[in-house]
Structure formats: structure tokens, C-alpha cells
Amino acid sequence: MGRAYTACGGGWGVPPPWIRERIIAAEGTVVLAVGGPDGLPLKAVRDMYALTLPQLREARAHGLYATPTEAELLRGYTEC
């Protein structure tokens, strides 16, 4: 986790861990459903967080803790 990337030529992904920790301390996290009809697309979650398949299975089973900004990016995800 913590790999920044550019999505569709604009917008950035997950910040470095030390910055993300500060954001979480200031803004908290939200739990997002992953996969299924009401959850975030698996591809979006895997791409944004550079998750391995076991990590993706864990996120699907228990939800994903994201900052409010990450949640907004993931909810607005579309295939490029």
C-alpha cells in the first residue's frame, strides 16, 4: 500500500505512508465495501492500492479503510 499513481492521466492515488498517517489522524477513515453489487470495483481497489490477491480477498471480506479523499476517488472510478 502507499503507491502513488496517476489515474487516466490526472488525479493521484494513495499518498506515501507517513503522509497518509497524518491525513488519517486529521480526517479519520471510512469503511468501504469491496466487490459485489454494492461495493467498489475490485480492479479499482487493486489498482489504487497495488494490492496482492490475498490482500484483495481480505478487503472484500472485511471492507477497506480509506481516507475520505481516497473514498471519493474510488467511488468516482471509471475504466480508462
Side-chain angles (χ1 to χ4, degrees), residues 6 21 39 43 51 54 58 60 63:
T6 303
E21 289 172 9
K43 182 174 178 12
L51 298 179
E58 180 74 15
R60 183 162 182 175

Side-chain angles (χ1 to χ4, degrees), residues 22-51:
R22 290 181 182 174
I23 294 169
I24 290 171
E27 299 178 11
T29 59
V30 294
V31 181
L32 303 171
V34 177
D38 297 323
L40 298 169
L42 297 172
K43 182 174 178 12
V45 173
R46 186 164 189 214
D47 287 351
M48 185 164 172
Y49 291 98
L51 298 179

Side-chain angles (χ1 to χ4, degrees), residues 52-78:
T52 64
L53 289 177
Q55 290 170 323
L56 188 60
R57 276 193 299 272
E58 180 74 15
R60 183 162 182 175
H62 302 288
L64 176 73
Y65 289 87
T67 67
T69 302
E70 292 166 355
E72 187 177 329
L73 284 170
L74 285 165
R75 287 179 182 133
Y77 175 86
T78 57

